Structures are given as structure tokens and as C-alpha cells.
Amino acid sequence: MRLLRDLGSAYSPEESEVLRINDKYFTLSPSLRDGLKARKGLVYAGRYLGRDRRLFQPSALLLETLAAEPGTNKVHVGRDAAWLFACGRDLFEESVEEAEPEFILGAHYLVVYEGRCIGYGRYETAGGRRIIRNLFDLGDFLRREM
Amino acid sequence: MLCEEATATIYFFGGAPTYTGNGLRGREFFLGRYAELGCSLTGEETTPQAIRVNPLRAADGEVVEALAGEGVQLRKIPYLDHGYEVVSSGFSLGASLEYLLGLYSIQEAASQLPVQVLGPGPGDVALDMCSAPGGKTTQMAAYMGNCGALYAVDSSRDRLYAVENSLERCGVTNCLVYLGDAATVDLGARFTKVLLDAPCSGNYVTDSEWFGRRTLRDVEANAAQQRRLLSRAVELLEPGGRLLYSTCSLEPEEDELNAQWLLENHGVDLEQVGGPGVPGLTSVFGVELDQRMSLCRRLWPGGGTQGFFLAEAVKP
């Protein structure tokens, strides 16, 4: 999963631990794995990691796991910037309160509000300004059901 | 058997008269039924918006404080573990950062009761037989602390997408979701706790078109489907397992009459259900039911909730 490396994550589940259902990937706790006896009709199982679109799209659950890793790239934002980002907007560099590590052009960053991950983006230049380009945000939950 | 007379229609169900009145539909017909059952309603009752805090993501106080900071006033609902009435809000609570982060879900007060009464825990193997759109499934996962094994089933693939989204948003990791008819799907498991929040006729509080759409024939058809699901629910229970049967219907055919059918046909024991509302009806349109129907719980609209019915059964 190249995106995970781009975010500075060392997370790499064992292939044997990963369950694939169509284009979606999951891992299961031991009790859930023991309870999985029937596969017919199964559409979702345990911890959802993400799905293959053109590129791998991580789930909100996986992003949460990545944000808890000390070494992953993160930017911390306040509420106003967080809400705009969750509405699908890009972030201006000046709305970032803190970046871990410091900004590197082309690097991917998890966007964090009060310790919780609300999405991720890539640090790049647009229109002469430095921005975090929105690649995914939690507002996706609302757009999916429109 | 249907007998039509000049001014009244008497409709028989299972040998018991259901209601004498004009026609089988309409506001006057159904309000007349409810009055006959002991509750005078206007048909204008409403239910306030409510939320349920998700303890998998946050403590109640954190959510209340965060929303208060955005000008949302909440009031704790005393009979619910994590339920709050929305007193005032300047924006849609389905469009906040806290909602997107899964810190709470929007869930009407009465509909939070079935899972709370059933009380699945970390050691349970639990089943939500009619899962979509997933509010009660995520509630079950929260009570289980994301431990144990939770199975969720629904017969609609489109509606299951809503379940999947809810599970992801609310941080649920202990759930297996199946597409299938809960009455026949093979899950390869037996369960300690089963929730059957059954497809039903609904009620006018949550559907402004209800009086114009619903007929007693709909009620009959739903009641038959519910019995099919109830049979399967008992089959899927381990000995000593618990079943919580609930509907948001006010019609006794789907509620007390089905609970009585369950007792008579499946040898389960009914447990006392407490909380808001009144005991289940023991007399329906002049026909006396098993007195154990009073162990069930019926919520009439107007007491801060929509209509609801709950019955808890234990398999010996």
C-alpha cells in the first residue's frame, strides 16, 4: 500500500490476516475470525481497511489507526479549517496550526482535528500558494448517501 | 374472514375480531382503533429529535460540551443510557464534525430502547436480524465494546450500504454483515442475544403520509412476515439466549398478538420490560390475551417518543 508509506506509516498487515470481499479489505479479531463460518452473502467483516478504486482508498478506521502512529505525517488544524476540509475544500498552509514533520513539498499528510483524523491530503503548490490538497475527507460519509 | 355490512366492517384475524369501524384505512379508522385500545390520540403527535452518543468514540460529556460550543442545546433523556433530546440547534446535526467523526448518531428516543433492554455485552454472540440502516447495529457494537461477535443481516443490498457506512463512521470492528433474508440465511452460528426490530407498518408520527397509505391489509401482511422472522429468531437462539422483538407499529396484530403467538408456538418465556410507556395490552378489541402480555412494553405517541412495542423472550 504505497499511500501508507507516503503517509510515513509502517503499518503493514500480514497478507494472511487480510480478508478481501470484492474490492474491499478487512482484518478480523480472533473472536470474529472464529465466528466466521458462512461466506455466502458476506459483504463486510470486522475492521474495514479500505478499497481499491483507481488507487487504494483507505477507510476512516484505517486513517484513525495511522493517525495514532507516532511517526506518520500529520497536520493539526482548528475547527473552522477542519470543517472546510470536511466539506471537501483544500487547506491553505496558513490554516495549519502544526505540521509533523515540517512541510515537505509533495508529501502526504493526515489532517487531524483535536486528536482525531478527518482525512488526508498532499502538500503542494496551487495558484502560487502552498496548500494541502484534499484527497479524502470524512464528508465523504454524507456524499455517499446523496 | 371479512364480513362487510352497510355501515361497519368487521375484520377477523386468527379468529379474533380486530376492530369494528368504517373501512380498513384512514385517519379516523386507525385513531378509532387506538381509542378502543385505551389511548385517545389526535394524530398530530410528534417526537423531538434525539441523538445517541457513541461510547466507542467519546464520553457523553465530551460530546455534550463540543455541541454546546456550537450552540446546540441538549437534554439528557432520563431513561436512556446515552440518549439526548435536541432542545435547540442552529444547524442540521447530521452535518457536524462530531457526527462525521462518529461521536454520535441521530436516533429517535424510543428506537434506542430495544438494544438497551437487550443489553448485549462483550462476551455475547449477537445478531441484528434486520439491520439497515444500521443505527441499532452500531448501538449493539457499542454495548459490546467492539468485543465478541456481532452479526448483522438485511435483505436489501442498497440499504446495507448505509449499514456499512454507519459501521465505518462509528468505529465498529466486531461486526460481520450479510446480505440475505434473515428468515432463511445460514450464518453458521447460534446466538446468545438476538435483536428482531422487525419491518412493520410504522406509525404516523414518523411518516406524514401514513394515514393515507396504510391499510389493515398491510398490517396483516406485516404481521405474517414478522411471525416468520420470529420463528427463525427462536431457532437461532442458544438455550438460555434472549430475543428482543420490537416494532414501531401501534397495531396489536404486529405487537401483542405476535408476542402471544410467540409464546403459544415456541415455548419461550417472556421477561418484564421496564422503562417508559405502558404495559402491553392484555385485552384487544374485547378479546382477552395471555396476561403475560403485560410484561411487554408499549409506547404510545405523545410522551416524547414515537409509537413503539418491545417484548423480551428467553429460550429455555
Side-chain angles (χ1 to χ4, degrees), chain B residues 12 21 42 51 62 77 97 102-104 119 124 126 130 140 142 147 152 164 180 184-185 257 278 302:
Chain B
F12 286 83
T42 66
I51 68 167
E62 180 186 348
I77 299 172
L97 281 169
L103 272 55
Y104 67 87
D124 277 311
C130 301
M140 290 176 80
C147 297
E164 295 178 47
T184 58
V185 69
L257 289 174
V278 298

PDB file of all heavy atoms in Angstrom, chain B residues 12 21 42 51 62 77 97 102-104 119 124 126 130 140 142 147 152 164 180 184-185 257 278 302:
ATOM      1  N   PHE B  12     -61.678 -10.135  10.731  1.00  0.00           N
ATOM      2  CA  PHE B  12     -61.238 -11.155  11.653  1.00  0.00           C
ATOM      3  C   PHE B  12     -59.813 -11.569  11.356  1.00  0.00           C
ATOM      4  O   PHE B  12     -59.438 -11.762  10.216  1.00  0.00           O
ATOM      5  CB  PHE B  12     -62.140 -12.393  11.561  1.00  0.00           C
ATOM      6  CG  PHE B  12     -63.482 -12.177  12.191  1.00  0.00           C
ATOM      7  CD1 PHE B  12     -64.491 -11.560  11.477  1.00  0.00           C
ATOM      8  CD2 PHE B  12     -63.733 -12.561  13.498  1.00  0.00           C
ATOM      9  CE1 PHE B  12     -65.722 -11.335  12.059  1.00  0.00           C
ATOM     10  CE2 PHE B  12     -64.963 -12.345  14.082  1.00  0.00           C
ATOM     11  CZ  PHE B  12     -65.973 -11.739  13.358  1.00  0.00           C
ATOM     12  N   GLY B  21     -65.456  -0.810  12.528  1.00  0.00           N
ATOM     13  CA  GLY B  21     -65.436   0.593  12.132  1.00  0.00           C
ATOM     14  C   GLY B  21     -65.681   0.674  10.641  1.00  0.00           C
ATOM     15  O   GLY B  21     -65.886  -0.332   9.993  1.00  0.00           O
ATOM     16  N   THR B  42     -54.561  12.316  18.884  1.00  0.00           N
ATOM     17  CA  THR B  42     -55.076  13.309  17.939  1.00  0.00           C
ATOM     18  C   THR B  42     -54.607  13.034  16.521  1.00  0.00           C
ATOM     19  O   THR B  42     -55.175  13.550  15.569  1.00  0.00           O
ATOM     20  CB  THR B  42     -54.593  14.715  18.330  1.00  0.00           C
ATOM     21  OG1 THR B  42     -53.167  14.779  18.169  1.00  0.00           O
ATOM     22  CG2 THR B  42     -54.967  15.050  19.764  1.00  0.00           C
ATOM     23  N   ILE B  51     -30.400  12.328  19.829  1.00  0.00           N
ATOM     24  CA  ILE B  51     -29.136  11.724  19.411  1.00  0.00           C
ATOM     25  C   ILE B  51     -28.727  10.661  20.422  1.00  0.00           C
ATOM     26  O   ILE B  51     -29.228  10.627  21.551  1.00  0.00           O
ATOM     27  CB  ILE B  51     -27.993  12.760  19.268  1.00  0.00           C
ATOM     28  CG1 ILE B  51     -27.599  13.329  20.632  1.00  0.00           C
ATOM     29  CG2 ILE B  51     -28.375  13.854  18.280  1.00  0.00           C
ATOM     30  CD1 ILE B  51     -26.298  14.116  20.612  1.00  0.00           C
ATOM     31  N   GLU B  62     -18.088  14.799  26.739  1.00  0.00           N
ATOM     32  CA  GLU B  62     -17.280  15.404  25.674  1.00  0.00           C
ATOM     33  C   GLU B  62     -18.168  15.852  24.516  1.00  0.00           C
ATOM     34  O   GLU B  62     -17.990  16.955  23.974  1.00  0.00           O
ATOM     35  CB  GLU B  62     -16.254  14.387  25.179  1.00  0.00           C
ATOM     36  CG  GLU B  62     -15.346  14.897  24.073  1.00  0.00           C
ATOM     37  CD  GLU B  62     -14.428  13.819  23.498  1.00  0.00           C
ATOM     38  OE1 GLU B  62     -14.336  12.729  24.105  1.00  0.00           O
ATOM     39  OE2 GLU B  62     -13.831  14.074  22.439  1.00  0.00           O
ATOM     40  N   ILE B  77     -32.042  12.373  28.220  1.00  0.00           N
ATOM     41  CA  ILE B  77     -33.293  11.626  28.324  1.00  0.00           C
ATOM     42  C   ILE B  77     -33.114  10.639  29.476  1.00  0.00           C
ATOM     43  O   ILE B  77     -32.241   9.765  29.411  1.00  0.00           O
ATOM     44  CB  ILE B  77     -33.615  10.903  26.999  1.00  0.00           C
ATOM     45  CG1 ILE B  77     -33.767  11.939  25.879  1.00  0.00           C
ATOM     46  CG2 ILE B  77     -34.891  10.076  27.129  1.00  0.00           C
ATOM     47  CD1 ILE B  77     -33.903  11.361  24.493  1.00  0.00           C
ATOM     48  N   LEU B  97     -18.900  18.154  12.535  1.00  0.00           N
ATOM     49  CA  LEU B  97     -17.652  17.382  12.632  1.00  0.00           C
ATOM     50  C   LEU B  97     -17.829  16.193  13.574  1.00  0.00           C
ATOM     51  O   LEU B  97     -17.348  15.093  13.300  1.00  0.00           O
ATOM     52  CB  LEU B  97     -16.520  18.274  13.143  1.00  0.00           C
ATOM     53  CG  LEU B  97     -15.880  19.191  12.103  1.00  0.00           C
ATOM     54  CD1 LEU B  97     -14.980  20.210  12.788  1.00  0.00           C
ATOM     55  CD2 LEU B  97     -15.116  18.386  11.070  1.00  0.00           C
ATOM     56  N   GLY B 102     -18.187  10.234  14.079  1.00  0.00           N
ATOM     57  CA  GLY B 102     -18.847   9.090  14.704  1.00  0.00           C
ATOM     58  C   GLY B 102     -19.049   9.224  16.191  1.00  0.00           C
ATOM     59  O   GLY B 102     -19.294   8.230  16.879  1.00  0.00           O
ATOM     60  N   LEU B 103     -18.955  10.443  16.714  1.00  0.00           N
ATOM     61  CA  LEU B 103     -19.115  10.630  18.158  1.00  0.00           C
ATOM     62  C   LEU B 103     -20.572  10.441  18.584  1.00  0.00           C
ATOM     63  O   LEU B 103     -20.853  10.159  19.749  1.00  0.00           O
ATOM     64  CB  LEU B 103     -18.642  12.027  18.560  1.00  0.00           C
ATOM     65  CG  LEU B 103     -17.141  12.165  18.896  1.00  0.00           C
ATOM     66  CD1 LEU B 103     -16.247  11.685  17.784  1.00  0.00           C
ATOM     67  CD2 LEU B 103     -16.820  13.591  19.267  1.00  0.00           C
ATOM     68  N   TYR B 104     -21.512  10.624  17.679  1.00  0.00           N
ATOM     69  CA  TYR B 104     -22.917  10.379  17.981  1.00  0.00           C
ATOM     70  C   TYR B 104     -23.646  10.004  16.697  1.00  0.00           C
ATOM     71  O   TYR B 104     -23.127  10.191  15.595  1.00  0.00           O
ATOM     72  CB  TYR B 104     -23.570  11.596  18.637  1.00  0.00           C
ATOM     73  CG  TYR B 104     -23.710  12.817  17.734  1.00  0.00           C
ATOM     74  CD1 TYR B 104     -24.823  12.982  16.904  1.00  0.00           C
ATOM     75  CD2 TYR B 104     -22.736  13.815  17.732  1.00  0.00           C
ATOM     76  CE1 TYR B 104     -24.938  14.101  16.081  1.00  0.00           C
ATOM     77  CE2 TYR B 104     -22.850  14.927  16.905  1.00  0.00           C
ATOM     78  CZ  TYR B 104     -23.944  15.071  16.087  1.00  0.00           C
ATOM     79  OH  TYR B 104     -24.060  16.168  15.274  1.00  0.00           O
ATOM     80  N   GLY B 119     -29.365  -5.441  25.934  1.00  0.00           N
ATOM     81  CA  GLY B 119     -28.088  -5.335  26.648  1.00  0.00           C
ATOM     82  C   GLY B 119     -27.010  -6.311  26.213  1.00  0.00           C
ATOM     83  O   GLY B 119     -26.457  -7.043  27.051  1.00  0.00           O
ATOM     84  N   ASP B 124     -20.903 -11.744  24.319  1.00  0.00           N
ATOM     85  CA  ASP B 124     -22.034 -12.268  23.562  1.00  0.00           C
ATOM     86  C   ASP B 124     -21.698 -12.553  22.108  1.00  0.00           C
ATOM     87  O   ASP B 124     -20.793 -11.949  21.521  1.00  0.00           O
ATOM     88  CB  ASP B 124     -23.204 -11.269  23.600  1.00  0.00           C
ATOM     89  CG  ASP B 124     -24.036 -11.400  24.873  1.00  0.00           C
ATOM     90  OD1 ASP B 124     -24.400 -12.550  25.209  1.00  0.00           O
ATOM     91  OD2 ASP B 124     -24.312 -10.371  25.527  1.00  0.00           O
ATOM     92  N   ALA B 126     -23.976 -12.026  19.103  1.00  0.00           N
ATOM     93  CA  ALA B 126     -25.251 -11.326  18.937  1.00  0.00           C
ATOM     94  C   ALA B 126     -25.618 -11.166  17.471  1.00  0.00           C
ATOM     95  O   ALA B 126     -24.747 -11.141  16.600  1.00  0.00           O
ATOM     96  CB  ALA B 126     -25.170  -9.950  19.607  1.00  0.00           C
ATOM     97  N   CYS B 130     -32.524  -7.498  11.270  1.00  0.00           N
ATOM     98  CA  CYS B 130     -32.998  -6.567  10.226  1.00  0.00           C
ATOM     99  C   CYS B 130     -32.218  -5.278  10.427  1.00  0.00           C
ATOM    100  O   CYS B 130     -32.720  -4.314  11.001  1.00  0.00           O
ATOM    101  CB  CYS B 130     -34.504  -6.342  10.340  1.00  0.00           C
ATOM    102  SG  CYS B 130     -35.449  -7.865  10.191  1.00  0.00           S
ATOM    103  N   MET B 140     -25.533  -1.803  19.260  1.00  0.00           N
ATOM    104  CA  MET B 140     -25.165  -3.102  19.821  1.00  0.00           C
ATOM    105  C   MET B 140     -23.652  -3.212  19.968  1.00  0.00           C
ATOM    106  O   MET B 140     -23.134  -3.666  20.988  1.00  0.00           O
ATOM    107  CB  MET B 140     -25.700  -4.235  18.936  1.00  0.00           C
ATOM    108  CG  MET B 140     -27.208  -4.387  18.975  1.00  0.00           C
ATOM    109  SD  MET B 140     -27.844  -5.647  17.851  1.00  0.00           S
ATOM    110  CE  MET B 140     -27.540  -7.151  18.787  1.00  0.00           C
ATOM    111  N   ALA B 142     -21.551  -0.899  20.371  1.00  0.00           N
ATOM    112  CA  ALA B 142     -21.101  -0.045  21.471  1.00  0.00           C
ATOM    113  C   ALA B 142     -21.292  -0.747  22.816  1.00  0.00           C
ATOM    114  O   ALA B 142     -20.405  -0.734  23.667  1.00  0.00           O
ATOM    115  CB  ALA B 142     -21.854   1.279  21.441  1.00  0.00           C
ATOM    116  N   CYS B 147     -16.265  -5.946  21.205  1.00  0.00           N
ATOM    117  CA  CYS B 147     -15.761  -7.295  21.504  1.00  0.00           C
ATOM    118  C   CYS B 147     -16.824  -8.319  21.121  1.00  0.00           C
ATOM    119  O   CYS B 147     -17.920  -7.966  20.696  1.00  0.00           O
ATOM    120  CB  CYS B 147     -15.424  -7.423  22.987  1.00  0.00           C
ATOM    121  SG  CYS B 147     -14.128  -6.322  23.518  1.00  0.00           S
ATOM    122  N   ALA B 152     -24.876  -8.939  11.482  1.00  0.00           N
ATOM    123  CA  ALA B 152     -25.961  -8.065  11.027  1.00  0.00           C
ATOM    124  C   ALA B 152     -26.428  -8.553   9.664  1.00  0.00           C
ATOM    125  O   ALA B 152     -25.603  -8.875   8.807  1.00  0.00           O
ATOM    126  CB  ALA B 152     -25.474  -6.626  10.923  1.00  0.00           C
ATOM    127  N   GLU B 164     -23.004  -0.351   6.273  1.00  0.00           N
ATOM    128  CA  GLU B 164     -21.542  -0.320   6.164  1.00  0.00           C
ATOM    129  C   GLU B 164     -21.006   1.070   6.506  1.00  0.00           C
ATOM    130  O   GLU B 164     -20.016   1.209   7.229  1.00  0.00           O
ATOM    131  CB  GLU B 164     -21.118  -0.717   4.748  1.00  0.00           C
ATOM    132  CG  GLU B 164     -21.455  -2.154   4.379  1.00  0.00           C
ATOM    133  CD  GLU B 164     -21.055  -2.497   2.950  1.00  0.00           C
ATOM    134  OE1 GLU B 164     -19.918  -2.167   2.548  1.00  0.00           O
ATOM    135  OE2 GLU B 164     -21.882  -3.078   2.230  1.00  0.00           O
ATOM    136  N   GLY B 180     -29.019 -10.963   2.954  1.00  0.00           N
ATOM    137  CA  GLY B 180     -29.854 -12.156   2.897  1.00  0.00           C
ATOM    138  C   GLY B 180     -31.171 -11.958   3.608  1.00  0.00           C
ATOM    139  O   GLY B 180     -31.375 -10.956   4.309  1.00  0.00           O
ATOM    140  N   THR B 184     -34.127 -17.034   6.461  1.00  0.00           N
ATOM    141  CA  THR B 184     -33.549 -18.242   5.858  1.00  0.00           C
ATOM    142  C   THR B 184     -32.022 -18.244   5.799  1.00  0.00           C
ATOM    143  O   THR B 184     -31.429 -19.287   5.567  1.00  0.00           O
ATOM    144  CB  THR B 184     -34.073 -18.430   4.416  1.00  0.00           C
ATOM    145  OG1 THR B 184     -33.732 -17.242   3.667  1.00  0.00           O
ATOM    146  CG2 THR B 184     -35.586 -18.624   4.405  1.00  0.00           C
ATOM    147  N   VAL B 185     -31.382 -17.101   5.991  1.00  0.00           N
ATOM    148  CA  VAL B 185     -29.932 -17.019   5.792  1.00  0.00           C
ATOM    149  C   VAL B 185     -29.203 -17.943   6.760  1.00  0.00           C
ATOM    150  O   VAL B 185     -29.583 -18.076   7.927  1.00  0.00           O
ATOM    151  CB  VAL B 185     -29.447 -15.561   5.938  1.00  0.00           C
ATOM    152  CG1 VAL B 185     -29.561 -15.066   7.364  1.00  0.00           C
ATOM    153  CG2 VAL B 185     -28.023 -15.406   5.439  1.00  0.00           C
ATOM    154  N   LEU B 257     -50.364  -9.440  19.739  1.00  0.00           N
ATOM    155  CA  LEU B 257     -50.866 -10.696  19.149  1.00  0.00           C
ATOM    156  C   LEU B 257     -49.705 -11.548  18.646  1.00  0.00           C
ATOM    157  O   LEU B 257     -49.722 -12.779  18.753  1.00  0.00           O
ATOM    158  CB  LEU B 257     -51.872 -10.402  18.030  1.00  0.00           C
ATOM    159  CG  LEU B 257     -53.213  -9.849  18.523  1.00  0.00           C
ATOM    160  CD1 LEU B 257     -54.106  -9.437  17.361  1.00  0.00           C
ATOM    161  CD2 LEU B 257     -53.943 -10.866  19.384  1.00  0.00           C
ATOM    162  N   VAL B 278     -46.356   2.031  28.661  1.00  0.00           N
ATOM    163  CA  VAL B 278     -47.309   1.297  29.490  1.00  0.00           C
ATOM    164  C   VAL B 278     -47.111  -0.193  29.253  1.00  0.00           C
ATOM    165  O   VAL B 278     -46.506  -0.599  28.277  1.00  0.00           O
ATOM    166  CB  VAL B 278     -48.764   1.699  29.141  1.00  0.00           C
ATOM    167  CG1 VAL B 278     -48.978   3.187  29.425  1.00  0.00           C
ATOM    168  CG2 VAL B 278     -49.102   1.387  27.685  1.00  0.00           C
ATOM    169  N   GLY B 302     -46.712  10.801  21.893  1.00  0.00           N
ATOM    170  CA  GLY B 302     -47.145  11.932  22.706  1.00  0.00           C
ATOM    171  C   GLY B 302     -46.410  12.050  24.017  1.00  0.00           C
ATOM    172  O   GLY B 302     -46.517  13.050  24.694  1.00  0.00           O
TER     173      GLY B 302
END
